[in-house]
Amino acid sequence: QMQLVESGGGLVQAGGSLRLSCAASGRTFSSYAMGWFRQAPGKEREFVAAISWNSGGTYYADAVKGRFTISRDNAKNTVYLQMNSLKPEDTAVYYCAAALGNLRLIITTKIDYWGQGTQVTVSS
């Protein structure tokens, strides 16, 4: 089992920034592609960003491209999501996800482990 614990969510005004963190334990973190998803009220969970095991590859949803940056620190077993220029439509619960293998598994939502989520609220 891998445990994923997100932190860093909160309330921010439109145009502001937040950095989410996801700390992993229980498995060899560097073997996993990692990603972020989000779910807004009344909507399905959607893909946000993915990163390969060695940070050599990243991929973003069109809605966040140019505003969000995913990164990871394998020495700290942590993945991050830097969110800039936040918009009210970014309001959602953000989930960390892990998949053993290629980051395409994250993109296609073939997830092995999920975190419990952290709330991000962007006010207008």
Side-chain angles (χ1 to χ4, degrees):
Q1 286 287 346
M2 175 181 277
Q3 291 75 42
L4 301 173
V5 179
E6 301 97 333
S7 61
L11 174 64
V12 64
Q13 288 189 334
S17 298
L18 281 175
R19 189 176 83 152
L20 305 183
S21 299
C22 172
S25 62
R27 283 287 187 264
T28 305
F29 180 71
S30 59
S31 296
Y32 286 77
M34 299 296 297
W36 291 92
F37 289 73
R38 66 187 183 187
Q39 186 167 20
K43 295 188 177 181
E44 293 188 354
R45 192 174 298 189
E46 63 176 4
F47 167 78
V48 174
I51 188 167
S52 63
W53 68 274
N54 63 349
S55 303
T58 57
Y59 191 82
Y60 298 91
D62 288 344
V64 307
K65 203 172 295 182
R67 300 188 298 121
F68 290 10
T69 302
I70 189 171
S71 62
R72 66 188 294 164
D73 185 340
N74 286 349
K76 295 183 178 179
N77 289 354
T78 302
V79 62
Y80 305 97
L81 185 68
Q82 178 66 44
M83 305 186 294
N84 298 330
S85 302
L86 282 161
K87 305 175 181 180
E89 51 263 45
D90 295 317
T91 295
V93 177
Y94 283 72
Y95 296 91
C96 179
L100 182 61
N102 191 280
L103 67 79
R104 184 164 295 278
L105 296 172
I106 299 286
I107 298 166
T108 55
T109 322
K110 294 179 175 60
I111 305 302
D112 292 306
Y113 301 103
W114 292 97
Q116 83 289 349
T118 186
Q119 177 70 46
V120 172
T121 303
V122 184
S123 63
S124 56

